[in-house]
Amino acid sequence: MDRIRIDSTNALASSVGEEHGIGPSELASLEKPSRAALAAVLGRRERDLRWLDLPQQAAVHEAILDYAASVQGRFENVVVLGIGGSALGNIALQTALNSPYHNLHLPAGLPRLFVLDNIDPDLVGEFLDGFDPGTTLFNVISKSGTTAETMSQFLIFREALIARLGEAEHREHVVVTTDERAGVLREIVNREGYASFAVPDGVGGRYSVLSPVGLLSSALVGIDIKGLVAGAAAMADACTSGDLAENPALHYAGLQWLMQSRKKKPISVTFAYSHRLASLADWYAQLLAESLGKRRSRAGADVFAGPTPVRAVGVTDQHSQVQLYTEGPFDKWFTILAVDDSDHTVTIPRAYEDLEGVAYLGGRTMNELFQAEREGTRIALTEARRPNVSIHFPSVTPHVVGQYLYLMELAVAVMGEHYGVDAFDQPGVEAGKIAAYALMGRKGYEKRRAEIERGRGGATP
Ligand code: PA5
């Protein structure tokens, strides 16, 4: 079985020196806390961290595949309406597991996929102008079922569907993913009779990619969701040991904690050396930022905790960021996502053999060049004493991507224990949502609106 492999040699003091790299005693100091952290996280599996069990939900996976089969060939477009944890996983899976040109060169019988994770009127308006709702299926995704961005999009596209298809038929063009019971979106599903899937209790937005939130749109565009969840399940099995050296989630979580707490590196760069993995780095950025970026510790003290995630793509960002990474402040550590085997081999033709500046490329492959550039960056970072780890994807398959998703989710949950914060709430996001409701005049938020107006001299948008 192809397994993800973490190589952390270049994050160690033996590679980048004691000031920036982790020494054996520092790693050893984490053994007990890591064991305790894992027990604390896994101990909540039955109670409130139900995302740990998502790979085992075979009946849900079958229901998703049945729905996808029932609509196959009926739609030219699938549009996800969602934001944050209700969109980033969908984008990451599509980018990783379908062709970058999927929407241009559609495989037979499959629809295009669009994820409208913004309410910029130019994004939504352009879509309204250009697409026929009559050939489009909308997957409305909101765990809370109240998010203003998603609900406003839903209202707009529902109206367009009804105008084009009529009240009854429009219902065939909507499938909703939301909480099983709570929220206005569930109430709407009940009234309209839309097809729907549930985001189970204990599955927060950024931990929901392996639920119907991420799996439904993936199945609709032909991604092997069984392979994905099998990979996640395999990683769950590989992460049961309390031993730091054996459990990759404990290992990665420990590195993150030591890099920030001991090595003064508040910035965590995920450097995806793969176009296909670039959006996984975006997905991870949200997972890390929303889970650990917290004002208060679990004990209630002000801690203002959290690493700052940064996402870079190789080789593109070699020509943009690497100057800063190798010579700028020592405030970052790096996770290189490396793909060992690409699906394609692209050969560079021989030409201009008398011109050494290009002649050396002729007859080599782009694969060799890509790997050489990745290795070049790794070597440059290490020689500049910038700690870096490499996560090796043997290839980019559903199984391996499923492994990565589960690995990172569990690692971040464990990081929450090291940082002493609640990795599963998002009061900062909620605060912004509440302020927006107040500014939009939503009933029940009058007091907040008055407070805001007082604070800004009575100005309204
Ligand atoms: O991770 C999270 O909890 C958030 O990013 C949510 O996913 C985001 O705010 C959207 O929320 P909802 O799915 O409730 O519409």
Side-chain angles (χ1 to χ4, degrees):
M1 189 60 65
D2 278 351
R3 283 282 163 86
I4 271 188
R5 182 171 58 83
I6 301 181
D7 179 353
S8 52
T9 313
N10 296 328
L12 301 180
S14 50
S15 295
V16 291
E18 277 180 18
E19 190 183 352
H20 302 295
I22 293 165
S25 63
E26 288 167 318
L27 264 185
S29 74
L30 269 194
E31 269 170 26
K32 229 170 122 191
S34 298
R35 199 175 289 278
L38 183 70
V41 171
L42 296 185
R44 292 170 64 182
R45 178 193 290 268
E46 302 293 324
R47 192 159 32 101
D48 58 345
L49 302 187
R50 307 307 297 266
W51 53 267
L52 287 161
D53 272 338
L54 290 173
Q56 277 78 37
Q57 307 292 310
V60 175
H61 310 148
E62 289 303 335
I64 290 170
L65 290 169
D66 286 350
Y67 177 81
S70 76
V71 297
Q72 198 183 4
R74 276 182 59 194
F75 299 105
E76 289 177 15
N77 311 300
V78 169
V79 179
V80 167
L81 306 180
I83 197 163
S86 293
L88 284 159
N90 306 67
I91 298 169
L93 292 176
Q94 168 76 349
T95 311
L97 297 171
N98 270 340
S99 157
Y101 310 108
H102 174 92
N103 282 357
L104 284 178
H105 304 296
L106 280 178
L110 291 178
R112 303 181 193 91
L113 179 68
F114 301 92
V115 181
L116 299 190
D117 66 340
N118 202 336
I119 50 165
D120 181 334
D122 284 338
L123 179 76
V124 176
E126 195 71 27
F127 194 86
L128 273 172
D129 288 350
F131 285 82
D132 177 4
T135 60
T136 301
L137 175 69
F138 291 90
N139 180 200
V140 189
I141 309 177
S142 176
K143 157 84 176 160
S144 63
T146 55
T147 302
E149 292 90 338
T150 306
M151 295 313 291
S152 62
Q153 288 179 333
F154 163 67
L155 295 176
I156 290 164
F157 288 111
R158 172 182 171 273
E159 187 179 80
L161 282 172
I162 291 173
R164 169 80 168 74
L165 302 165
E167 188 74 39
E169 203 190 324
H170 99 273
R171 298 193 178 99
E172 305 295 314
H173 291 245
V174 178
V175 55
V176 172
T177 308
T178 189
D179 190 273
E180 211 159 354
R181 290 170 296 275
V184 70
L185 193 51
R186 180 53 68 184
E187 169 65 24
I188 290 170
V189 168
N190 294 339
R191 282 193 201 178
E192 298 279 2
Y194 291 140
S196 73
F197 288 87
V199 190
D201 289 343
V203 179
R206 57 193 176 274
Y207 294 87
S208 69
V209 59
L210 296 168
S211 80
V213 169
L215 297 183
L216 178 58
S217 67
S218 297
L220 288 165
V221 293
I223 289 170
D224 169 17
I225 64 164
K226 283 198 172 170
L228 202 56
V229 293
M235 184 54 74
D237 288 346
C239 291
T240 52
S241 166
D243 188 333
L244 195 59
E246 278 175 24
N247 183 327
L250 290 189
H251 186 69
Y252 192 75
L255 291 175
Q256 169 58 54
W257 169 242
L258 291 174
M259 282 297 164
Q260 184 154 18
S261 64
R262 301 272 179 90
K263 303 296 160 185
K264 301 189 179 64
K265 310 219 178 300
I267 301 174
S268 163
V269 180
T270 302
F271 207 148
Y273 261 81
S274 159
H275 172 84
R276 297 174 66 179
L277 302 185
S279 300
L280 279 178
D282 288 331
W283 169 85
Y284 179 67
Q286 187 217 14
L287 182 66
L288 192 70
E290 272 195 8
S291 299
L292 303 185
K294 298 289 153 71
R295 171 178 175 166
R296 294 210 167 86
S297 70
R298 280 199 304 241
D302 273 350
V303 287
F304 301 102
T308 299
V310 168
R311 166 264 208 200
V313 181
V315 298
T316 311
D317 285 316
Q318 279 179 222
H319 301 267
S320 165
Q321 306 295 312
V322 165
Q323 173 60 35
L324 171 74
Y325 293 167
T326 51
E327 294 194 358
F330 284 87
D331 56 359
K332 305 171 194 66
W333 75 287
F334 300 86
T335 299
I336 295 172
L337 304 185
V339 178
D340 295 336
D341 260 333
S342 301
D343 287 352
H344 298 269
T345 301
V346 180
T347 303
I348 306 167
R350 291 183 201 280
Y352 307 109
E353 299 210 41
D354 57 325
L355 299 179
E356 183 40 36
V358 289
Y360 73 99
L361 295 168
R364 310 296 296 271
T365 64
M366 216 138 231
N367 309 56
E368 289 175 284
L369 180 60
F370 196 50
Q371 297 229 358
E373 299 222 13
R374 186 185 79 213
E375 281 307 283
T377 300
R378 191 183 59 75
I379 291 164
L381 287 171
T382 308
E383 287 182 352
R385 295 176 295 135
R386 314 294 164 144
N388 60 88
V389 308
S390 295
I391 300 185
H392 286 271
F393 286 58
S395 54
V396 185
T397 61
H399 197 280
V400 177
V401 169
Q403 293 175 41
Y404 174 81
L405 294 170
Y406 198 92
L407 171 63
M408 289 295 137
E409 288 180 345
L410 185 54
V412 171
V414 169
M415 288 173 204
E417 299 296 311
H418 291 322
Y419 280 78
V421 298
D422 184 341
F424 308 104
D425 67 358
Q426 53 282 323
V429 181
E430 302 306 329
K433 284 185 180 181
I434 288 167
Y437 293 152
L439 292 173
M440 287 295 286
R442 183 172 166 184
K443 203 165 162 215
Y445 294 83
E446 297 81 1
K447 189 163 162 263
R448 183 71 189 116
R449 184 181 171 104
E451 284 167 5
I452 292 169
E453 285 176 353
R454 272 200 305 279
R456 357 184 282 178
T460 48

